[in-house]
Structures are given as C-alpha cells and as structure tokens.
Amino acid sequence: MIRHLFKLIWNRKKSNFLLMTEIFFCFLVLFAVLSLVVYNVRNYNKPLGFSHENVWLLSMRPATDSTALNRQQLEQLLQRAKAFQEVENISLSSSNSPFSFSQMMNVVKYKDKEVTPNFYEVQDDFDKVMQLQVSRGRWFGAPDDASHHEPVVINKELQQRLFLEEDPLGKLIPKNDSVNYQVVGVVEHFRPGSEYTAEEPGMLTRINLPKNKDAFHGELLIRVKAGTGVTFEETMVKEFSGITKNWTLEVTTLEKMRQNKAKLAMVPLIALGVICGFLIFNVALGLFGVLWYNINSRNSEIGLRRALGASARQVYHQFIGEVLVLATFGLLLGIAFAVQIPLLQVFQVETEVYMDALLISVGIIYLLAISCAFYPSKQAAAIHPAIALHEE
Amino acid sequence: MLKNYLKIAWKVLLRRKFFTFISLFGISFTLMVLMVATALYDHAFGPQMPEHDMDRLLFVNMIRVSRDGGYMNSSPPSYHFLNRHVRTMHTPEQVSINSVFHTVNSYINNRKLALDLKHTDSEFWQLLDFNFVEGGPFSQQDVQSANRVAVINKTTREQYFGDMEAVGKTIEADQVKYRVVGVVEDVPVLRLHSYADVWVPISLRSQDFNKPGLHGVYFATIKAHKPADVSSIKAEYATMLAEVERQQPEKGTEVHSSPDSVVESFARTFLGNGRESGLLKLYALLAGVALLFMLLPAINLVNINISRIMERSSEIGVRKAFGATSSNVISQFIIENIFLTLLGGLVGFALSAVALWLINDSNLIAYAHLALNLRVFAIGLLLCLLFGLLSGVYPAYKMSRLHAVEALKGGIK
C-alpha cells in the first residue's frame, strides 16, 4: 500500500513539485524558529544558581583619575553602606555583575586543557549577597589572606571542561608566571548572564582590597532587607553623593536588569513566533486550497475505484496517505539540509536542541498536512460512484 | 482591453471566495510584515526629527586603536581629539561635540526617575532640527560660562510638572539643580546621536577637556554645506587621521575612525572591520532575509494561482481558438495577478497601520512613533508589484503554452 502511494506521488512529481517545495521551505522556517525557542526554553528551565530578589546594584563612575583619592572615597562609601540598617550584605564586583551587559573572559590552562571561562571578581560576602550554594569545598574568605595562592570558586561547567573526572579541590591553575589560582570550592550552577543563556564556564575570584592598594571596582551589589523601597534609595544615594562628590552614582535593582535582559531575549522570539505562526497559517490555507482542488478534480478516478468495490474508508485513507507521502518527500529533503547544522557544528549549541526542534517540526508538518487533507479527503470519500462516473 | 481584463479579474475573485481569501490573506500579511520592517528601518535610518538633513549629516562615534601584538581598543573618541582635530576641519559647515548619554537619577515625591542626560555644545542645536514645544536652546554664552541650564523633553516635563509650563523652573538630577530653558518633542531612542531626556551644556564636564589621549565618551556630529561635500569631508577626515596616526609615539599603531551616516555607523558596529564599513554586507543581509521571507508566501501563491488557472482552461481554450496569442494570455493573467496583489496591498496597508499603532502603544521602543509615510508607502507598492509578478509569471507561462484543443478538452494533468 505504502509503496503504491510512493509510486503514485512519484509518477506525478512534476505537478506535486511545488507542494513539496512549499513543505520543504515551511519545514526549514519551522526548524530555524523552533531551534531558537527550544534553546531558550531549555536554558530558562535550568537553575540560575543564585537569588536576585532584594539585591540592588550601585554603579559608581568617578570623575577624576586620581586612584588614591578614589580608593579613599570608595572605602568610606563601603563603611557607610555597611552601617545602614536596611542593608544586609554588600560586595563589590567587576563590571560583569549579574544580568549586566558586559563580559570578562580569559584563557586558563590545566595540564593540556584550555578553557576560556568568564571571570567574576567579587568580595568575600558575595555568597551571602547572592545566596550562592557551594556544593563542594568552601567559599573563600579571610582565612585565605595567609594563602600563597589566589583562592577561586569555579562552577560545575568549568570543572567538567578543565578537570574532567579529577577532584578539582586544591588544584592549581597558573594565573601568570608567579601566581596560581587555587580551587577552593565548586558551585553547581552559576549563570549570571541571563536566564536565557546556556551555562558557561565561570570562575569567581576574590577582591582583596587591603592587598591591592590601587584596585578600583565600580559596581557594588547590595542585599537589602525585604520591602525596602525607593525612600531608602534616595537617602542612600544622597549620603553617598556627600562622600563621593562628583561621582556619577546609579542605583538599579537586579530584578529590573533581569527584566531588561529577558525583554531582549523575548521580544525577537515573540516577533519571530508571530511571523512564523502566520507563515504557517498561510501555508496551511494554501495547502488546503490546493488539495481541495486537486482531489475534487479526480472525481472520475474516485468513481472508478468505488465502482470496483473500494469502500469510502479506503478512498479516504488513500488520500490522507498520499498527502502524508507528499509531506514526507518535502521533509526528507528538509531534514537532509537541517541535519547539516548540528553535524557541521555551525553554532556552539548542544545537538539535543536541534533534535528536539527537528522532531517537533516534523510533528507539526505532519499534523498540518493531515489537518489540511482531512476535509477534502472526506468529501472525496463521500462521492457516490454513480454520480462521479456519470459526470465523466 | 485593460478594463475588460479588470472586469474579468473581479468576476473571478468573486466566484471562488475561499481562494480569493487565501490569496489576499497571504499577500496582505506578507506586506504588513515588510511594511513594519521598512517603517522600523525608516525610523532608525531615515530622516526624522531632529536629524532632518540626513544626506548632509555625518557622525563620528568610534575610534579604534590597534598596535602590533594584538592590542586593540575601540571606544567613542575623547573630547581632546574631537576638539583639536575634528572641530578644526575646513570642509564641514558646522561641527558639534556632544557626550554619550548616561543615566542620572532624579527623585520626585518618593518616585525615582532615571533620566538619560547628554552634554552638548550650542552648535548641536543649530545643526539639528529639534521641535521646541516651549522656550529655546541654551546659547553659546550659557556654554561658555558653564551655566546650569537644561533642555528637557516633553515626557520629562510631564513627569516633573504635569501639564504646566516648565521654562524657568528647576529640575534636579544627581543632586545637581538645572534651570529649564527649553522643552523639545521626544527624540526616539534609536537616534543614538541626538537622543536624551535632558540636554545640558558640555562645559559642565570641563574636567574631561584637557585629558589627552584618543579614547573618551564623546560623539561628533558634522554637517556638510551640501550633500556633495560629504565625500570631501570624509577625505579630509582620513588625511587628518593619517596625521594623528603618524604622531602616535608607539610603533605600528593603527588608528581607525571615520565620519559615517547613520546606516554606515550601524553597519560598521555590527559587520564592519575598521576601514570598511560593512554597508554592502548589511544591505545584502537585509535583502537576503527579505527574499527568504517572501519566498514561502510566493510559492504558496504560485500554487494557488496554478489551481485557479487550471479551472479556467476552457476559457483559455476558447480565447486561443479565437486567435489570442500566448502573449495575450500571459498579459491577461499578469494583469489579473497585479490587480489581486494591489488589492491585497490595500488590505496590507490597513493591517500595517494597526500593527504600527500597536507597537507604538506598547512602548517597546522608547519614544518611538513609527508611522506609515509616503516613502514607506512607495516601497510597499513596489514590493506589491514585485510580488504580483513573482507569483503570476510562472502559472501564466504554463497556461499560455496550452494548446487550444487540449485546453478545450479540459486542460492537462
């Protein structure tokens, strides 16, 4: 039966060619959009590894180049910040604080492995500010002052890429000729970029203000007590401006930054989704129209089959089957193109994303084909043989 | 003859309403998306308040320094560089130096306003056409004596003072008080070089003025006497930059920067590499995406058109039997198709007006007022025709090759 159907479609390949091309392009569009959707949804469902509620970010841009003066003012500001009742914990951070638009990356080597993780410079209280859970080892802190090496906490992703099966704790990673990083802890997840990005290798290094006399960090993460609002923000900024004079200070909440990032990811996705949805609907209408016309113009053939004893059900199945075979031809071609992307590793994305997208696209196309063929086939099956043959 | 064709076309449309609906839906929706895209493009790159004379305006927003050994730094240029080398150029009519906007905080009645603030000189107001709602720009005098005056946009006025007049009142941003001298209509955020909520004199940042070096946080806006001067400005800029490059103390230093139109600077940021602007790449990319997007509806339309035409094979047979040539038949079907496309185009315009209104209303882009204008309308119409030809030629060609006898018998399978 199936072989017969394939033969039928193949024999009329010229007149079916356009339908197949249409299904082919439709599949490609679906596959591209769904890959993007699947990628984002999969990432969204992974844990971030920290909690951003009630965390504020203060950005400070000094007006002068004098490092000594800036440092002095910064330390005063930190003192003042800790003294506020509403503030639970604070931590300076490099410019790539959670949900920010900046990135800091560098190559690290261990044995013959080479990875380029994100570097996050943070202070000792960062784990409390962001409520990080260290799954193995410990968080760095004052006891590390005595250590010869620089303590770092890495995320699972970096551990897997750099150390594979080895125990990472205590391992040394060379920073430069004289200094090494020493891994003191591992966090299961740390994905501060955005909820929609994949887990990237990350390394948290320690900001040690007393040791580095001329280091300056312009971002301060502040965990405030729940329910603290804009009134406190105003008092805080006023106090800080008193200390820092001409600096530009800006306060925002991580929640707002998260929303900005989410908007950036969601808006194109929604726009693409809407466009894709209408394209598919358009194709569905077209397919329906063409199938309807084609099937209706085969009255005599149907009449003949019915007269020779085929049941309405058999006719119905034949037409649905034909459409499915048609869709299969288009899909085969489409899949041949689509699998090139994961095979050639065009983008650094897991193959599962493409597989999911591929399967869903195939499912949707078949569903589309069946639902478009449903009504015309039913009509064809209902044709009375005598009338059909009489018309002929 | 044409009138006859149109009459036939109209009758055919009414005969098969479902097919007509499919065709019209496909055409109008595709056109709607293309129109929204062109409106967005126009909004970002076309002449728009305050940048009206787009063909005379050039912007410097990036300077890139690279040295042997992989060192590379690119950022907006410094005031020092712009003031010394760009302001002194001979070919431009006027040059303005203004800062990259940054966000400042303002608190009113337990509410926080995050305002984007930009420092500008007085030339800025002369070479751009802002629409002043009240008051006017600050003067050269204000800039020279570093007065704390500000021009604000309408939205900021509303948030601060409600519907009241704002000129003469003060606003506070980052603990600094400014006296409002003018209110302008909102500038869309995509106009990166002019956009801000609050504009204040550049001399308030005079501590930056003497910092040597090439990197800073400033833009330059250059206006040419006439559009033809643009190329000579670019040439002078390149000569000037070569001189700057030569004066760099480190060996092997390369300095890249160039005055660009808005499209060029956009292309350079995302696709360019130093000397080349990537403009061609951008256009190729846009054309490619538009073509791919139109392909699916076009194939769909071809499919439907073939079915529609097949139905009419006896009509064609009769026409051919009475002596119509192939080209007669082809032109009839093409005209019919263009008629249908234009009809779909009309619906598409209505749809896109609704879509643009929705986008403006949703506040997705700050201060966007996307609008259908005549230029966008013309582009849409052109696309309509292209679309009509694209989907009409193949079926018409196929039909015209039918032999009269076969056609009269009921067409080919």
Side-chain angles (χ1 to χ4, degrees), chain A residues 81-354:
Chain A
K82 274 183 206 157
F84 281 118
Q85 274 210 337
E86 289 88 343
V87 172
E88 283 187 352
N89 272 305
I90 57 166
S91 163
L92 283 173
S93 145
S94 42
S95 59
N96 53 352
S97 56
F99 305 125
S100 70
F101 284 92
S102 82
Q103 266 198 321
M104 244 170 74
M105 297 171 99
N106 207 346
V107 180
V108 293
K109 285 182 193 143
Y110 178 75
K111 292 185 183 162
D112 53 347
K113 289 269 172 318
E114 225 183 81
V115 183
T116 315
N118 285 289
F119 276 72
Y120 308 97
E121 295 173 24
V122 295
Q123 273 187 306
D124 294 350
D125 280 341
F126 184 76
D127 63 329
K128 296 187 200 90
V129 175
M130 301 309 301
Q131 298 182 342
L132 276 185
Q133 298 295 328
V134 181
S135 57
R136 299 179 65 187
R138 62 182 175 83
W139 184 254
F140 47 67
D144 291 304
D145 285 348
S147 164
H148 176 62
H149 305 294
E150 263 193 51
V152 293
V153 173
I154 61 175
N155 68 359
K156 194 82 178 283
E157 183 73 21
L158 178 60
Q159 181 209 324
Q160 279 164 354
R161 292 212 204 164
L162 206 58
F163 301 109
L164 306 174
E165 298 303 309
E166 277 182 78
D167 180 20
L169 294 183
K171 290 274 159 26
L172 295 180
I173 304 167
K175 178 187 182 185
N176 49 38
D177 293 341
S178 54
V179 187
N180 289 318
Y181 293 120
Q182 183 170 37
V183 180
V184 298
V186 179
V187 286
E188 200 72 18
H189 296 279
F190 188 61
R191 215 153 48 92
S194 131
E195 292 160 293
Y196 298 96
T197 47
E199 183 95 57
E200 289 168 346
M203 189 161 173
L204 294 139
T205 65
R206 186 175 179 225
I207 296 178
N208 194 347
L209 284 180
K211 207 168 161 191
N212 291 319
K213 287 291 175 217
D214 40 86
F216 184 88
H217 293 88
E219 322 282 322
L220 182 66
L221 291 162
I222 305 168
R223 176 168 285 275
V224 294
K225 297 218 164 76
T228 312
V230 74
T231 336
F232 171 65
E233 190 185 322
E234 186 174 1
T235 349
M236 187 179 80
V237 170
K238 281 222 166 108
E239 290 250 354
F240 287 166
S241 329
I243 301 171
T244 57
K245 303 294 178 308
N246 283 320
W247 292 17
T248 310
L249 300 178
E250 200 189 322
V251 181
T252 179
T253 59
L254 286 197
E255 174 59 22
K256 214 182 263 172
M257 294 171 72
R258 183 191 67 80
Q259 285 169 6
N260 275 345
K261 273 263 169 131
K263 210 169 161 189
L264 211 71
M266 287 313 286
V267 166
L269 217 58
I270 290 172
L272 270 179
V274 169
I275 291 178
C276 178
F278 271 89
L279 274 181
I280 302 293
F281 182 59
N282 191 357
V283 168
L285 282 180
L287 217 59
F288 179 71
V290 173
L291 287 177
W292 191 15
Y293 174 79
N294 281 353
I295 290 175
N296 273 325
S297 63
R298 284 163 71 183
N299 268 355
S300 57
E301 178 195 331
I302 298 164
L304 209 58
R305 272 204 73 189
R306 291 296 305 273
L308 288 178
S311 68
R313 208 184 160 72
Q314 277 173 320
V315 173
Y316 176 68
H317 281 166
Q318 182 206 339
F319 281 108
I320 294 273
E322 268 186 38
V323 173
L324 287 183
V325 168
L326 196 75
T328 310
F329 274 118
L331 281 176
L332 283 178
L333 192 63
I335 291 172
F337 272 87
V339 291
Q340 300 305 314
I341 295 174
L343 282 182
L344 298 175
Q345 281 293 316
V346 183
F347 307 103
Q348 300 295 317
V349 177
E350 301 153 283
T351 317
E352 285 91 353
V353 173
Y354 294 117

Side-chain angles (χ1 to χ4, degrees), chain B residues 60-72:
Chain B
V60 180
N61 56 3
M62 200 50 89
I63 191 159
R64 191 165 102 165
V65 177
S66 56
R67 285 192 201 111
D68 297 347
Y71 168 89
M72 213 258 295

Side-chain angles (χ1 to χ4, degrees), chain A residues 18-19 22 25-26 65 230 233-234 237-238 241 248-251 275 278 281-282 285-286 288-289 293, chain B residues 18-19 21-22 25-26 29 105 107 110 112 174-175 211 293 295-296 299-300 302-303 306-307 310-311:
Chain A
L18 272 168
L19 278 182
E22 196 168 341
F25 278 112
C26 193
D65 280 345
V230 74
E233 190 185 322
E234 186 174 1
V237 170
K238 281 222 166 108
S241 329
T248 310
L249 300 178
E250 200 189 322
V251 181
I275 291 178
F278 271 89
F281 182 59
N282 191 357
L285 282 180
F288 179 71
Y293 174 79
Chain B
F18 180 66
F19 276 107
F21 166 72
I22 299 174
F25 176 83
F29 176 73
N105 292 325
Y107 299 91
N110 280 338
K112 183 170 104 164
D174 268 1
Q175 276 71 47
K211 269 186 213 163
F293 168 70
L295 201 63
L296 203 49
I299 296 177
N300 198 27
V302 172
N303 247 330
I306 289 182
S307 303
M310 285 301 186
E311 277 191 333

Side-chain angles (χ1 to χ4, degrees), chain B residues 21 45 53 118 120 122 125 223-224 233 251 293 351 406:
Chain B
F21 166 72
F45 303 125
D53 307 310
K118 190 180 186 75
T120 74
S122 55
W125 304 103
K223 194 171 198 173
I233 292 179
K251 272 264 158 70
F293 168 70
L351 282 180
E406 268 174 20

Side-chain angles (χ1 to χ4, degrees), chain B residues 108-109 111-115 153-162 197 367:
Chain B
I108 31 166
N109 314 328
R111 217 151 44 87
K112 183 170 104 164
L113 279 186
L115 300 173
N153 68 358
K154 229 168 134 186
T155 305
T156 309
R157 179 181 76 171
E158 250 159 53
Q159 280 173 320
Y160 248 94
F161 310 108
D197 293 307
Y367 307 138

